Amino acid sequence: MTALSESDQAAVAALTRKVIAAWAYHDHDAFADLFTEDGTMILSGVYCAGREKIREFLKAAYQNEYRGTQVTGQPLSLRPLGRDAAVLLTQGGVLRPGESEVSAANAIRASWVVLRRDGQWLLSAYQNSPR
């Protein structure tokens, strides 16, 4: 298996920080733009196929169930699948308003399938489950 360069590893890991930043501003556009055009996102009870569906879901969710929330996450492992693909495993969760630590009910582990497209690392598939 081809190992990822240190700069590629850093770029993939940076996706977690980009997700956290987009969520912090409840920026559904910035969040969705981290996905490939045909990317998928699976959350508890949610399946979004395609960047535009992810964008639509988050636009509504930031006004409703995710209003005032933040997310946190840390890489657990990164496994290359070739020069332009990798699987990133993370743990983190949703912080409800007023929380400084993720509650057991909102703690997750996640799988991220990432692809390099036009020199940029993007999410192709994201799925999380309760930790």
Side-chain angles (χ1 to χ4, degrees):
M1 184 65 56
T2 303
L4 295 179
S5 69
E6 285 185 29
S7 63
D8 284 332
Q9 291 177 42
V12 170
L15 283 171
T16 60
R17 293 187 299 278
K18 290 177 181 180
V19 163
I20 291 167
W23 197 289
Y25 292 101
H26 290 108
D27 187 339
H28 58 278
D29 288 322
F31 190 101
D33 289 344
L34 296 172
F35 283 81
T36 59
E37 193 67 37
D38 61 348
T40 57
M41 181 176 74
I42 300 173
L43 310 174
S44 180
V46 175
Y47 173 71
C48 297
R51 183 187 290 155
E52 294 312 311
K53 293 293 184 188
I54 294 166
R55 189 182 320 277
E56 291 169 16
F57 168 76
L58 285 171
K59 184 176 183 179
Y62 288 148
Q63 297 303 312
N64 295 296
E65 66 264 32
Y66 292 133
R67 181 183 212 101
T69 62
Q70 300 298 313
V71 293
T72 186
Q74 294 294 321
L76 293 173
S77 71
L78 175 61
R79 185 179 46 165
L81 299 175
R83 277 182 17 113
D84 298 318
V87 172
L88 174 65
L89 301 178
T90 62
Q91 69 179 16
V94 175
L95 294 164
R96 298 288 172 195
E99 291 181 334
S100 59
E101 292 186 31
V102 177
S103 69
N106 292 319
I108 56 102
R109 287 197 178 96
S111 299
W112 313 44
V113 177
V114 297
L115 303 176
R116 183 183 358 228
R117 297 271 171 91
D118 298 321
Q120 181 180 4
W121 287 96
L122 298 170
L123 277 157
S124 177
Y126 173 88
Q127 179 172 358
N128 72 39
S129 58
R131 191 172 359 158

